[in-house]
């Protein structure tokens, strides 16, 4: 449900010069939970509900909101705005959010890494009660004397919000042709963790901003499949053209049969924007394209945001797609709801 809250929040989005605020549980109007973050930090750019579960009793021991503030000052030496993810208790105190220590931010970043302006907290997601948490910095840069690659990075945290792993899906991939390959991936622009323990990372940059979606096993245990899966990116294989920004949003679910599909929003694909569904193909690290949905209006940015949930309670995962620049005389922005009936979407 956390992603639905984020969508609701998009409508409230922030234009504030003073303190920025986020109202997370806006269903209970008598006792709103309102949290303030640092000035000009974009506090509330991303929000996720997270429940910590006691491992012995399996009861919820703590409920928190995770709030990304991608322009906040983390305190890391040699950075001014590297971004922060805050943990906010669910109470009516307005200024009790605390910084989650995700990186080794008590010392300057390693040589060859630039974290200033990296936007840590652009994406924050919880897998669900007792599950993993992820946070990303899509503007994280690897640099050398003659290059700067904007590859992006994500981190996985335990349910207690302790650091687990860093995820760099574009690391060590071809960059000799810069933006025409994986030089400016911007991985982590979107992401989520599936119930099958896949970490899914949207990267709108590869191959001249065609973009793609990556996945790997978030647990990364000995027996887990540690392959990086990704949607096809090459000119003749990608489902979208240059500058489509596939991976601007991601979601996943068992849409078509018993196995998980990964969907990537491509807000500039084919003029209107599209959503591309990927599925794993045995023995291949490149996803198959299993389905494509298209927007209706040119430049409506269909696919800019997206979530999946069982809206009508029939046990099948439905899809919600945002098109923020849709317009007509009376409407600005559109949200499409697709009901899944046996693997076919009805709008
Ligand atoms: C941080 O801000 C200070 C003061 O504006 C500036 O001198 C410094 O260069 C900035 N640091 C980085 C890494 O941009
Ligand atoms: C792109 O949009 C046109 C209509 O504008 C449609 O005919 C065509 O099938 C679409 N192409 C793809 C690849 O979806």
């Amino acid at each position: 449900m956390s992603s639905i809250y984020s969508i609701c929040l998009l409508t409230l989005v922030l234009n504030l010069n003073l303190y920025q605020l986020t109202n997370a549980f806006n269903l209970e109007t008598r006792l709103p939970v309102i949290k303030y973050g640092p000035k000009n930090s974009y506090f509330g750019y991303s929000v996720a509900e997270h429940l910590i579960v006691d491992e012995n009793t399996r009861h919820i021991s703590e409920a928190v909101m995770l709030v990304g503030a991608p322009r906040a000052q983390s305190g890391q030496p040699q950075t001014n705005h590297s971004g922060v993810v805050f943990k906010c208790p669910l109470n009516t105190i307005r200024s009790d959010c605390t910084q989650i220590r995700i990186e080794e931010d008590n010392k300057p970043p390693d040589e060859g890494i630039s974290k200033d302006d990296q936007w840590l907290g652009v994406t924050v997601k919880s897998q669900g009660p007792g599950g993993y948490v992820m946070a990303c910095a899509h503007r994280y840069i690897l640099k050398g004397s003659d290059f700067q690659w904007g590859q992006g990075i994500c981190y996985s945290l335990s349910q207690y919000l302790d650091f687990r792993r860093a995820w760099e899906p574009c690391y060590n991939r071809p960059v000799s042709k810069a933006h025409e390959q994986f030089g400016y991936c911007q991985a982590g622009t979107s992401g989520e963790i599936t119930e099958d323990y896949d970490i899914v990372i949207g990267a709108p940059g590869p191959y001249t901003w065609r973009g793609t979606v990556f996945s790997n096993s978030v647990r990364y245990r000995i027996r887990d499949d540690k392959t990086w899966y990704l949607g096809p990116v090459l000119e003749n294989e990608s489902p979208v053209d240059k500058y489509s920004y596939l991976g601007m949003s991601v979601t996943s679910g068992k849409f078509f049969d018993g196995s998980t599909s990964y969907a990537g929003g491509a807000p500039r694909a084919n003029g209107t924007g599209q959503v591309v569904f990927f599925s794993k193909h045995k023995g291949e690290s490149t996803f198959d394209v299993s389905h494509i949905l298209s927007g209706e209006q040119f430049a409506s940015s269909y696919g800019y945001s997206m979530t999946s949930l069982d809206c009508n309670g029939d046990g099948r995962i439905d899809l919600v797609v945002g098109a923020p620049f849709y317009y007509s005389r009376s409407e600005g922005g559109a949200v499409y709801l697709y009901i899944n009936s046996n693997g076919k979407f009805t709008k």
Side-chain angles (χ1 to χ4, degrees):
M1 284 303 280
S2 58
S3 26
I4 269 293
Y5 286 122
S6 324
I7 282 207
C8 301
L9 278 161
L10 283 180
T11 60
L12 306 176
V13 160
L14 317 158
N15 97 51
L16 313 172
N17 280 327
L18 292 166
Y19 276 70
Q20 286 150 357
L21 69 109
T22 294
N23 180 353
F25 288 102
N26 47 3
L27 305 177
E28 168 55 271
T29 53
R30 291 163 304 175
L31 272 180
V33 174
I34 299 176
K35 300 291 178 181
Y36 291 85
K39 198 173 170 180
N40 297 329
S41 68
Y42 295 2
F43 180 84
Y45 192 92
S46 61
V47 182
E49 173 193 23
H50 180 60
L51 300 175
I52 299 170
V53 171
D54 185 295
E55 275 163 17
N56 298 318
T57 65
R58 305 306 299 165
H59 291 141
I60 292 165
S61 58
E62 199 181 348
V64 294
M65 295 302 299
L66 307 175
V67 181
R71 296 273 299 156
Q73 163 65 292
S74 68
Q76 182 163 38
Q78 289 174 26
T79 71
N80 289 330
H81 306 282
S82 57
V84 170
V85 179
F86 288 96
K87 168 187 171 183
C88 304
L90 282 184
N91 57 30
T92 51
I93 302 171
R94 299 195 170 190
S95 54
D96 61 350
C97 298
T98 50
Q99 178 174 353
I100 303 173
R101 311 303 317 198
I102 295 175
E103 310 170 291
E104 282 192 279
D105 54 14
N106 53 354
K107 58 184 181 63
D110 289 344
E111 184 97 0
I113 290 175
S114 172
K115 292 189 177 180
D116 200 34
D117 236 355
Q118 65 171 350
W119 280 59
L120 177 61
V122 67
T123 300
V124 177
K125 286 290 171 72
S126 166
Q127 187 188 14
Y132 284 86
V133 163
M134 75 186 285
C136 306
H138 71 308
R139 292 165 55 97
Y140 171 94
I141 286 171
L142 294 183
K143 62 178 183 186
S145 54
D146 56 350
F147 67 88
Q148 277 217 5
W149 303 132
Q151 297 211 317
I153 193 166
C154 293
Y155 299 95
S156 51
L157 313 178
S158 74
Q159 68 150 336
Y160 306 108
L161 308 175
D162 299 320
F163 171 84
R164 279 285 170 271
R165 285 188 67 84
W167 302 90
E168 294 179 79
C170 293
Y171 186 70
N172 264 343
R173 292 188 190 270
V175 290
S176 58
K177 293 194 186 161
H179 68 278
E180 294 178 12
Q181 293 178 318
F182 292 95
Y184 300 97
C185 268
Q186 303 210 308
T189 299
S190 63
E192 75 171 31
I193 307 173
T194 69
E195 57 186 27
D196 312 327
Y197 292 92
D198 288 335
I199 184 164
V200 186
I201 297 176
Y207 285 76
T208 318
W209 291 280
R210 280 187 176 82
T212 194
V213 172
F214 292 91
S215 86
N216 204 327
S217 161
V218 72
R219 284 188 288 200
Y220 224 69
R221 300 175 310 193
I222 290 170
R223 286 159 168 278
D224 287 329
D225 174 4
K226 302 187 189 69
T227 310
W228 273 116
Y229 292 88
L230 77 163
V233 288
L234 299 179
E235 170 136 23
N236 299 319
E237 294 167 15
S238 169
V240 295
D241 212 342
K242 290 179 185 175
Y243 309 109
S244 289
Y245 299 170
L246 174 57
M248 194 76 190
S249 62
V250 292
T251 191
S252 59
K254 297 184 168 67
F255 294 107
F256 304 113
D257 51 31
S259 58
T260 298
S261 302
Y262 312 85
R268 293 184 55 172
N270 204 21
T272 56
Q274 293 180 313
V275 170
V276 180
F277 290 81
F278 295 113
S279 52
K280 284 185 187 166
H281 187 90
K282 223 176 175 186
E284 301 262 351
S285 61
T286 309
F287 292 131
D288 285 343
V289 175
S290 39
H291 194 59
I292 296 181
L293 294 169
S294 292
E296 292 178 307
Q297 190 181 67
F298 182 77
S300 62
S301 282
Y302 172 92
Y304 189 91
S305 59
M306 200 164 44
T307 194
S308 51
L309 76 168
D310 181 4
C311 250
N312 55 357
D314 67 352
R316 293 194 193 87
I317 298 294
D318 309 310
L319 182 75
V320 182
V321 182
F325 299 122
Y326 181 94
Y327 70 94
S328 68
R329 242 172 241 186
S330 56
E331 294 153 319
V335 176
Y336 295 86
L337 168 63
Y338 293 87
I339 297 295
N340 182 355
S341 37
N342 272 332
K344 292 215 161 48
F345 288 114
T346 14
K347 191 162 61 187

